[in-house]
Amino acid sequence: MDFGSRPELRFLEDLGLQATNQGCYGGGEWRAGGKSVSSLSPASNQPIATVIEGSLEDYERSLKACESARESWMLTPAPKRGEIVRQIGDAFRKNLENLGRLISLEMGKILVEGIGEVQEVIDMCDFAVGLSRQLSGLILPSERPNHMMMEVWNPLGIVGVITAFNFPCAVLGWNACIALVCGNCVVWKGAPTTPLVSIATTKIIAGVLERNGLPGAIFTCICGGAEIGEAIAKDSRIPLVSFTGSSKVGQIVQCHVNSRFGKCLLELSGNNAIVVMDDADLSLAVRSVLFAAVGTAGQRCTTCRRLFVHQAIYKDFIEKLVTAYGQLKVGDPLKHDSLVGPLHSSQSKQAFEQGLEAIASQGGKFLTGGVGTTTSPGENYVTPSIVEISHDADVVKEELFGPLLYVFQFKTLDEAIAMNNSVPQGLSSSIFTKSHETIFKWIGPTGSDCGIVNVNIPTNGAEIGGAFGGEKATGGGREAGSDSWKQYMHRATCTINYGKTLPLAQGINFN
C-alpha cells in the first residue's frame, strides 16, 4: 500500500501515517503488540491502511507510565497547563484540513463536517485555555468566630475516555481539553473502526508534549476492541471514565465503574424530536429538519429521528420536506457537492436495512426511501427515508442509527410534549414557534425532558460553550462548556481555624 501512488491519500503522510501503523502510544513511545486490523473507507469498503492494535500488556505498560507522570502534571500550575492546551489548539489549526479529510475518509461524513469536527476541537482548546485561569471555588461564611470555609478543586489524576466512531476526534477534544487543564492525565480508546483518526490525533498532541519537554505519558492512546474498554472501566487507577456509545454498552461500563466506586460520565443514545407549531416559520423549519435528520447520514447522537407537525400545517409541511429530500445529493463524502455520505460500515448498512423491514412490518408508510431503495452491495450508501407510523410503535422507542425520520401529527402543545417525552432517551429536542408562551412552556419544568432544549434551531449542531448531554437512557453526563469541568476534579470543603479557641458547629459544647 503506497500513499504516494494514490494522490487522494497523500495527505496521510503529512499526518505522520504509514501503510502500517503502531496503534498504541504509551509512556511517550509508539509500541503495540496486538492484532493487525485494516482501516476501511466507508465509501468503498476498501482498505486505507493497517493498524497494529494495543494489547492488554501494552495497556498495563502505558498505565504504569501514566501513573508516573500523574503527580508532576497535577502540580503544574493550571495556567501553565492551559498554555500547553493552547499550543495543542494551534497544532490542530495547522492540520485542520488534512485531519478533516482523514475523518471524512475513515468515518464517512462529508468533508465540511469532517473539517468542522476538527474546528470543534480547536474551539474546545480555546475554551479550555480561558478556563485554566478560572478553576475557582467558593469562599463561604463560617458560623464560628475566627474560622473561614472555602472550596478547593483538585485534579482527579487520570481520566479515561472511550469514544465512538461518529465523532472520532471532537468528543476526545471535549474531554481531553478540559481534563488536561484540570490537571489530569488522559487515557483514550477511540472506536476500533477509526484507528487512523485516533493515531493522527495523538501524533498532533504528542508532538506538543515533546516540544515542551513534557512526559509523553500525560496523554495515552490505545487502539483496540472491547477488551481495552473493559480494562479502562475496571481500572481503579482511573477515577473517571467518560464513555460515548449505546445505552446498552453504557450500562455495562457504568456497572464496572460503579462497582469500584469510580465516577462515570455517560453520553449515550438519543431519540431526538423536533416539534413544528402552526405559527412556525416553515422555510426555516424545513431546512432545520433536513439538516437535523440527514446530517452525518443520520449518525449523530443528536440526529432528529422524530418529527411532530401540527395538524393544521401537516400536509403542506410534509410536502415541502419530501421535495427537499428529493434534492439531496448522496455520494462520495470527499466530493464538495455531496450532502449525505455513506453509513460507516457494512454492518451499519445491514442494521439500517433490518430496521426498515421492522418499520414496514409494524405498519410504517414510507414517503421517501424505504425497503429496497438502498444502493448496490459493497457500498454503504442508503436512501434517506421519511415514514409515517404510530408514535406508539415499538420501533419508534429505539434509536436506528441512520437517515430515518418518523413523522407524526399533533393537535395541542401538551400532546406534542407528551410524545416528545415518551421515549426512554432524553438527549436533544427542538420546537419551532413564534409564541413566547409556547417557548417558555417548552423550556420549563413541564416541557421537554431532554438535556438539550432548543427553539427555532435543529436538534444537532451544539455549540461548545454550553454543557452537552442528556437525561434518562442518554446517561445524564455533561461535556464541553458551562461548568462541566467540575466532573474532572474533586471538591474539598476546607475549614481553617485561625484563632486560639475551638468553638464547635451547631453550638455544641464539648468542654
Side-chain angles (χ1 to χ4, degrees), residues 234-253:
K234 291 181 175 180
D235 198 329
S236 59
R237 294 169 293 186
I238 302 177
L240 171 67
V241 176
S242 172
F243 173 81
T244 301
S246 70
S247 296
K248 180 179 179 181
V249 177
Q251 280 188 318
I252 297 172
V253 171

Side-chain angles (χ1 to χ4, degrees), residues 14 27 52 64 87 119 179 267 277 365 372 377 379 405 425 466:
D14 295 333
I52 302 172
K64 287 181 178 178
Q87 293 180 36
Q119 184 63 49
E267 296 289 355
M277 300 297 294
K365 174 187 175 184
E379 297 177 334
L405 180 66
Q425 307 84 358

Side-chain angles (χ1 to χ4, degrees), residues 120-409:
E120 196 164 350
V121 178
I122 295 168
D123 293 345
M124 277 304 309
C125 288
D126 289 346
F127 177 86
V129 172
L131 184 64
S132 68
R133 294 182 181 270
Q134 301 179 64
L135 300 172
S136 57
L138 297 174
I139 303 294
L140 302 166
S142 173
E143 68 182 65
R144 290 170 282 186
N146 300 322
H147 283 61
M148 185 181 74
M149 287 196 301
M150 67 175 72
E151 288 182 348
V152 178
W153 291 88
N154 288 312
L156 294 172
I158 301 175
V159 170
V161 182
I162 304 172
T163 59
F165 74 84
N166 57 338
F167 281 88
C169 182
V171 175
L172 180 273
W174 291 357
N175 286 275
C177 295
I178 304 298
L180 288 171
V181 298
C182 287
N184 302 295
C185 295
V186 174
V187 177
W188 177 35
K189 189 196 91 69
T193 52
T194 54
L196 299 181
V197 174
S198 296
I199 293 170
T201 299
T202 301
K203 285 180 179 290
I204 293 170
I205 296 171
V208 173
L209 297 176
E210 183 179 343
R211 288 191 292 274
N212 284 273
L214 291 168
I218 290 171
F219 188 89
T220 299
C221 171
I222 306 173
C223 297
E227 72 283 355
I228 301 298
E230 184 178 9
I232 291 173
K234 291 181 175 180
D235 198 329
S236 59
R237 294 169 293 186
I238 302 177
L240 171 67
V241 176
S242 172
F243 173 81
T244 301
S246 70
S247 296
K248 180 179 179 181
V249 177
Q251 280 188 318
I252 297 172
V253 171
Q254 186 175 46
C255 287
H256 288 321
V257 176
N258 285 351
S259 70
R260 58 177 177 84
F261 299 105
K263 298 203 302 183
C264 227
L265 196 167
L266 299 175
E267 296 289 355
L268 309 177
S269 304
N271 196 349
N272 316 295
I274 290 179
V275 176
V276 183
M277 300 297 294
D278 55 349
D279 65 341
D281 180 331
L282 298 193
S283 177
L284 180 67
V286 167
R287 295 198 307 273
S288 296
V289 171
L290 186 69
F291 171 63
V294 305
T296 323
Q299 297 171 113
R300 293 185 181 218
C301 54
T302 52
T303 291
C304 177
R305 311 204 182 278
R306 298 176 297 140
L307 173 64
F308 303 111
V309 183
H310 194 282
Q311 63 177 11
I313 59 167
Y314 181 83
K315 185 174 183 296
D316 183 33
F317 187 86
I318 296 301
E319 286 178 354
K320 286 180 167 55
L321 186 62
V322 170
T323 299
Y325 264 63
Q327 298 169 356
L328 289 171
K329 173 66 184 300
V330 179
D332 188 335
L334 288 170
K335 292 185 177 179
H336 289 280
D337 61 344
S338 296
L339 287 178
V340 182
L343 294 182
H344 181 57
S345 66
S346 57
Q347 292 82 6
S348 301
K349 180 181 178 181
Q350 182 180 17
F352 186 77
E353 291 174 334
Q354 290 173 346
L356 295 182
E357 292 173 358
I359 291 165
S361 70
Q362 294 183 34
K365 174 187 175 184
F366 288 93
L367 307 182
T368 65
V371 179
T373 60
T374 55
T375 55
S376 61
E379 297 177 334
N380 301 326
Y381 297 98
V382 298
T383 304
S385 300
I386 301 174
V387 60
E388 290 180 324
I389 195 170
S390 168
H391 82 275
D392 292 325
D394 290 340
V395 288
V396 177
K397 309 292 184 184
E398 302 171 0
E399 181 187 41
L400 182 58
F401 226 50
L404 173 77
L405 180 66
Y406 300 112
V407 295
F408 314 93
Q409 297 186 51

Side-chain angles (χ1 to χ4, degrees), residues 11 15 89 92-124 166-170 197 296 300 333-336:
F11 66 90
L15 293 168
F92 275 101
R93 282 184 176 89
K94 292 177 182 177
N95 291 278
L96 174 62
E97 184 168 349
N98 278 349
L99 186 54
R101 286 177 63 83
L102 176 59
I103 291 170
S104 294
L105 176 68
E106 189 176 41
M107 184 271 150
K109 62 180 61 176
I110 61 175
L111 184 57
V112 291
E113 290 188 287
I115 292 174
E117 180 169 345
V118 183
Q119 184 63 49
E120 196 164 350
V121 178
I122 295 168
D123 293 345
M124 277 304 309
N166 57 338
F167 281 88
C169 182
V197 174
T296 323
R300 293 185 181 218
L334 288 170
K335 292 185 177 179
H336 289 280

